[in-house]
Amino acid sequence: MNDGTMQPQSRYCRNCGQKLIGFRGADGLLRLRCPRCNAVSVSKQITRRHEEIHEYAPPGQVIL
């Protein structure tokens, strides 16, 4: 899945809608933290059509 070139990945924060841009680490995980609301998103590419995404609520908030 890694062709040797790093390409920016963009997502939108599911909590506040802020656009986030980041890079995948050496372990293949894309970790993003929203600067506006501090929500954390971690995603892993399983196959080319399957991506696993975990969303974590900001401190002091709960997921509804």
Side-chain angles (χ1 to χ4, degrees):
M1 287 184 224
N2 186 4
D3 60 353
T5 61
M6 291 185 64
Q7 295 181 353
Q9 304 281 317
S10 65
R11 303 279 190 275
Y12 287 96
C13 177
R14 294 183 66 185
N15 192 42
C16 69
Q18 175 79 21
K19 186 171 185 177
L20 309 172
I21 299 174
F23 294 93
R24 292 196 182 272
D27 55 359
L29 294 177
L30 175 64
R31 294 178 185 89
L32 300 169
R33 179 180 298 274
C34 180
R36 184 187 296 171
C37 69
N38 285 329
V40 176
S41 175
V42 179
S43 72
K44 179 176 175 131
Q45 191 79 33
I46 306 297
T47 65
R48 68 183 179 101
R49 295 184 181 183
H50 182 192
E51 183 174 10
E52 184 176 303
I53 301 172
H54 296 277
E55 301 284 338
Y56 299 97
Q61 291 187 10
V62 295
I63 298 174
L64 298 176

